[in-house]
Amino acid sequence: MEGAKDAYRDRWSEALMIAPDAVIVPAHELNETLTRVYGQIKRLEQGNPRPGESLRSAAEAQHALWSLIEAMREAMRRDLGVTGEVDEAARWPESPSSNDPTALIRDFMEPSDGPDS
């Protein structure tokens, strides 16, 4: 995860230098949210979560990123002039977890655990 975070930080720094404000605004919101989610995951990993932080809350926070990613993607496409009316058949298929935040944590749960653990 550290390598991915470092690579992301480098790309973010580059984007700040060249992207137009119309793209930076939604990208900044996504960046701030990613930073909060990363912090929560690291605290859980270290066994030092803040009150209310759990594997479930981290999965839900990660799931919430998708709407911010979509907003940034749309801003980028508008800036490039490649966006237009999109019919439902042309959209990317949704992942199995796109409508279920607990799907992200199922692989980490013991068989006897429920999604609220």
Side-chain angles (χ1 to χ4, degrees):
M1 192 161 76
E2 292 299 317
K5 180 186 78 75
D6 291 344
Y8 173 81
R9 184 197 58 234
D10 292 346
R11 298 303 80 75
W12 174 243
S13 296
E14 292 169 1
L16 286 173
M17 299 301 290
I18 61 173
D21 290 342
V23 172
I24 292 295
V25 170
H28 185 263
E29 184 178 357
L30 175 60
N31 184 61
E32 286 184 339
T33 305
L34 278 168
T35 299
R36 284 193 299 273
V37 170
Y38 177 80
Q40 182 177 2
I41 291 168
K42 290 303 287 184
R43 288 187 295 277
L44 287 167
E45 181 181 80
Q46 295 165 356
N48 191 26
R50 291 180 179 162
E53 290 183 339
S54 65
L55 186 57
R56 180 184 180 92
S57 68
E60 289 171 349
Q62 288 177 24
H63 186 266
L65 292 169
W66 288 112
S67 63
L68 298 173
I69 291 168
E70 180 66 23
M72 184 183 70
R73 178 180 174 273
E74 288 303 314
M76 292 168 69
R77 291 178 56 79
R78 273 191 308 277
D79 179 62
L80 293 172
V82 296
T83 194
E85 293 298 317
V86 178
D87 66 19
E88 290 302 312
R91 289 192 173 276
W92 285 5
E94 291 186 352
S95 72
S97 65
S98 62
N99 293 317
D100 181 7
T102 61
L104 294 169
I105 60 172
R106 287 193 191 116
D107 290 341
F108 300 101
M109 294 177 6
E110 294 295 325
S112 62
D113 290 344
D116 294 324
S117 298

